[in-house]
Amino acid sequence: MTDRAGAPQASGDQGCLRQVLMVPLVILYLVAGFFLYTALTIRPSGSWDDDARAGIVLSCLLTLMAGAATAGLLLLPPVRRTMGLWWAAPALLMGVGAIVRWATTG
């Protein structure tokens, strides 16, 4: 049985497992969100400000790394069966945001 979101419906021990697996996923989302926020709020002072551009690139790279860690965790078969793949959506959106910011750093 699946719920409306397409994830398997939790019963008994599986519901507890879902709550336990939620903790590292949410932590990785918060880390990725922090670095994406940092990448979006850093503004170079001028065309000469290479340090700000390096900070943007580093923040984008760290966002992508946190998203990759989330994807790696979700690719494990027990996690995928318990959580469902829709948990990858926030990491995917933050990754796209980081790529767009990185590309527009100029």
Side-chain angles (χ1 to χ4, degrees):
M1 279 172 52
T2 60
D3 62 4
R4 286 186 281 152
Q9 192 170 8
S11 62
D13 291 337
Q14 194 175 16
C16 182
L17 180 61
R18 181 177 288 174
Q19 291 175 350
V20 169
L21 291 173
M22 226 185 301
V23 173
L25 289 173
V26 169
I27 290 171
L28 285 170
Y29 292 150
L30 290 174
V31 168
F34 170 76
F35 285 120
L36 181 60
Y37 173 78
T38 304
L40 293 174
T41 57
I42 294 175
R43 301 280 182 233
S45 297
S47 60
W48 48 267
D49 197 359
D50 293 331
D51 291 336
R53 284 186 179 72
I56 293 169
V57 169
L58 179 63
S59 293
C60 291
L61 185 63
L62 291 172
T63 301
L64 292 172
M65 288 174 62
T70 303
L73 185 62
L74 285 170
L75 287 177
L76 296 172
V79 179
R80 188 175 57 236
R81 278 192 302 265
T82 304
M83 301 302 286
L85 286 178
W86 69 271
W87 276 85
L92 218 65
L93 290 174
M94 286 187 269
V96 169
I99 290 170
V100 168
R101 176 62 173 151
W102 193 345
T104 59
T105 299

